[in-house]
Amino acid sequence: MSAAREDPTTLVRTRRRADAGHEPRPFLFLVLQCQRPMDPPARLALDGVDEVAFGRGPARSIGRRIEGDRAILDVRLEDGWVSSRHARITREGGRLRLEDLGSTNGTFVNGVPQRSALLAEGDLIELGHTFFLFREAAAPDEPAGGATQAADQPFGLATFSPELSERFASLRAVAPAPIPVVLQGESGTGKEVVARAVHALSGRPGPFVAINCGALPESLIESELFGHKKGAFSGAAEDRPGLIRAADRGTLFLDEIGDLPAASQTAFLRVLQESEVVAVGATRPVKVDLRVVVATHRDLPAMVERGDFRGDLFARLSGFVLELPPLRRRREDLGLLIAALLRRAAPDRAASISLGCEAARALLLREWRLNVRELEKCLATAIVLAGGGRVELDHLPPPAVLPRGGPAPEAPKPEAPQPGEPQRSDEEDRRREALIRLFREHRGNVSAVARAMGKGRTQIHRWIARYGIEPGDYRGG
Ligand SMILES: Nc1ncnc2c1ncn2[C@@H]1O[C@H](COP(=O)(O)OP(=O)(O)OP(=O)(O)O)[C@@H](O)[C@H]1O
């Protein structure tokens, strides 16, 4: 953004960026192109940009040009459904406005056609068959107006989320050091994938050994972990080294560490303190060289407080703590993940897979309560049902029903809003009125309305799109 420009908003934004490294910065993510879901997604930093101009081009290109004193980001899309001058984003009173420029196929926000809309956090923008996601976010050190293509990262550590890429950079730095790593996150968020990446980056010569502490029967856990001597108990027909020794000079990944019974916690603490294991029935310890990564979806500090988990073991394990966000808070990565999962599900024909627009929209708007695991299963099923053709909405299995005791859903699952006027029930009319009342009370603040309704922001954005509410209309008063 040109500092010479006489726009007060521009000047304020420029100054803020200079003195605060982590001011929220707007980003646009090119998430997915329906015809070519394997094409690399891209992240575009929008600060320093006065206008983003979207149109069709012979190939995808993202370039910055100066017109007078205006910095313009030109986004050319290789998409036959995009017009040559399709849409633009400009600044308006500190916010960003998306306008359709009379395109043939229209511009959609959260599945609803829009000629002009102020952008809000998490908005899904659809131009032709290309999907973008808009986010206000804390940013890593990236040039303003820059366009980052898909990063060349180890499997599981590729992300476009500005916050997560910073955390993954720290993880890469600690991976070669003998620092324990704690991975937190809901089931299916990729904790084991990340643990494997840590091992790959550690350069340790031994194997990666994964143990699910919740899946080991309590009667066998000690002998499975620490090994046993022949004759130590009935059924111990031979010496067994156990899983901890199997991970010698490698990485021991303990999944669901919160499920480790109290007696095993004590024995495992000794292993970490002494770097040695005593097998069940043995008298002499054996030295081990371990790198430990643990994962949990439980609140370990709370368990320590309740006396359900040993505080000294917790302290030993707490080196670098990484929280893997649920997929619904990482939507900018859906394009990367869809490409990786399609490649895995259909290695020989991934390049020829395409998605119908409605299927793509549903994939990008779903709650994904079971996270990447659910997305993976959904795509694998859809490819089979599509029989090698284009994946359509009908090919997607219904969203997962949360098992008992699973992570709390952030919001009830509505259908993805469809273009056109939706049929409204009385309940929906009441909800729309309640939303409008709350937007008035909270002056258009989506987070405040979400809190007041006890819902997630994503859900509020869906309702905003569905009921045609414009939060900006309530901001002035
Ligand atoms: N970044 C990723 N890229 C590709 N696939 C991924 C990624 N993250 C997770 N997956 C896939 O999603 C599935 C679930 O991942 P993973 O087992 O690592 O999750 P988890 O958090 O350890 O789950 P749980 O807590 O239930 O053990 C796996 O099949 C994994 O390969």
Side-chain angles (χ1 to χ4, degrees):
M1 187 164 298
S2 156
R5 201 178 158 209
E6 291 297 309
D7 173 349
T9 323
T10 308
L11 294 171
V12 168
R13 292 185 68 83
T14 307
R15 253 181 249 126
R16 272 202 310 185
R17 201 175 65 242
D19 56 28
H22 283 77
E23 280 297 318
R25 300 170 69 192
F27 278 88
L28 195 64
F29 300 88
L30 196 173
V31 182
L32 191 67
Q33 216 275 323
C34 292
Q35 268 72 44
R36 290 181 303 279
M38 305 304 289
D39 276 8
R43 178 171 74 192
L44 286 64
L46 297 187
D47 56 342
V49 174
D50 295 293
E51 179 177 330
V52 187
F54 299 95
R56 192 179 61 247
R60 183 199 291 179
S61 69
I62 298 166
R64 199 179 144 98
R65 65 186 158 86
I66 302 292
E67 222 177 72
D69 62 353
R70 290 164 56 76
I72 301 190
L73 194 63
D74 243 324
V75 181
R76 299 280 118 201
L77 300 166
E78 189 189 356
D79 179 339
W81 281 263
V82 167
S83 300
S84 52
R85 278 183 78 246
H86 194 110
R88 67 175 184 180
I89 293 176
T90 48
R91 297 205 174 278
E92 185 176 309
R95 296 191 62 202
L96 294 167
R97 180 174 285 283
L98 171 70
E99 280 170 280
D100 185 87
L101 299 176
S103 69
T104 307
N105 294 310
T107 294
F108 294 73
V109 178
N110 298 320
V112 176
Q114 298 280 0
R115 271 199 305 198
S116 173
L118 279 172
L119 290 175
E121 166 77 13
D123 274 349
L124 184 70
I125 300 167
E126 213 175 314
L127 309 176
H129 287 184
T130 305
F131 287 82
F132 294 85
L133 193 105
F134 174 73
R135 276 201 61 197
E136 287 277 353
D141 197 9
E142 178 176 313
T148 309
Q149 300 292 334
D152 187 16
Q153 297 295 341
F155 184 75
L157 298 193
T159 181
F160 277 117
S161 153
E163 301 87 353
L164 199 54
S165 43
E166 283 190 332
R167 295 298 290 153
F168 281 166
S170 306
L171 185 72
R172 280 194 300 278
V174 302
I179 298 173
V181 172
V182 181
L183 301 172
Q184 288 171 334
E186 290 178 11
S187 180
T189 46
K191 298 186 291 297
E192 180 163 346
V193 168
V194 170
R196 284 181 190 277
V198 170
H199 174 64
L201 291 166
S202 72
R204 292 177 64 81
F208 175 85
V209 176
I211 303 168
N212 185 337
C213 301
L216 288 175
E218 203 165 333
S219 54
L220 290 181
I221 201 158
E222 302 239 335
S223 80
E224 288 286 325
L225 287 179
F226 308 112
H228 60 247
K229 297 296 284 178
K230 182 178 171 182
F233 48 87
S234 63
E238 56 190 14
D239 284 3
R240 291 277 291 275
L243 293 166
I244 290 178
R245 274 178 67 194
D248 188 29
R249 303 178 71 224
T251 302
L252 180 69
F253 173 55
L254 292 170
D255 201 357
E256 301 309 346
I257 184 77
D259 290 347
L260 202 62
S264 310
Q265 289 177 27
T266 308
F268 186 56
L269 177 64
R270 223 166 29 237
V271 171
L272 296 181
Q273 282 168 338
E274 313 296 334
S275 295
E276 54 189 33
V277 197
V278 183
V280 177
T283 46
R284 292 165 67 94
V286 178
K287 280 278 171 210
V288 277
D289 169 10
L290 286 183
R291 192 319 158 55
V292 179
V293 178
V294 301
T296 180
H297 64 259
R298 303 227 224 155
D299 184 349
L300 280 185
M303 288 182 73
V304 171
E305 226 155 79
R306 287 197 306 269
D308 293 338
F309 198 84
R310 286 187 68 121
D312 41 9
L313 178 57
F314 176 69
R316 276 254 158 200
L317 293 173
S318 309
F320 181 80
V321 179
L322 176 73
E323 172 85 35
L324 281 170
L327 188 50
R328 59 185 173 276
R329 298 220 196 92
R330 214 188 140 180
R331 283 181 199 278
E332 58 270 49
D333 281 339
L334 277 163
L336 271 180
L337 289 166
I338 288 170
L341 296 170
L342 288 177
R343 206 174 293 118
R344 196 188 306 162
D348 353 310
R349 54 191 177 86
S352 63
I353 294 173
S354 67
L355 302 170
C357 251
E358 296 207 329
R361 190 186 301 146
L363 288 172
L364 299 176
L365 286 172
R366 252 188 204 183
E367 286 295 317
W368 300 118
R369 296 183 201 180
L370 301 181
N371 298 301
V372 188
R373 182 173 289 120
E374 185 187 352
L375 176 65
E376 184 175 29
K377 293 214 160 62
C378 172
L379 290 173
T381 308
I383 298 173
V384 173
L385 294 180
R390 192 165 62 172
V391 172
E392 301 290 359
L393 188 60
D394 289 353
H395 300 134
L396 305 183
V401 176
L402 208 63
R404 269 166 177 271
E410 189 170 76
K413 170 71 191 82
E415 286 305 311
Q418 298 299 315
E421 194 54 37
Q423 283 288 85
R424 276 194 203 127
S425 64
D426 288 348
E427 191 199 337
E428 286 186 305
D429 283 338
R430 276 197 299 276
R431 185 186 293 140
R432 183 171 188 276
E433 278 165 28
L435 275 163
I436 289 174
R437 185 171 41 76
L438 286 168
F439 271 116
R440 221 173 263 132
E441 261 171 51
H442 295 282
R443 299 173 136 215
N445 183 323
V446 175
S447 300
V449 172
R451 272 194 301 277
M453 295 187 84
K455 302 288 180 196
R457 289 167 52 90
T458 312
Q459 179 62 75
I460 302 298
H461 282 299
R462 286 215 175 83
W463 283 334
I464 287 171
R466 185 173 172 85
Y467 303 135
I469 295 170
E470 175 52 78
D473 292 347
Y474 305 97
R475 275 184 197 140

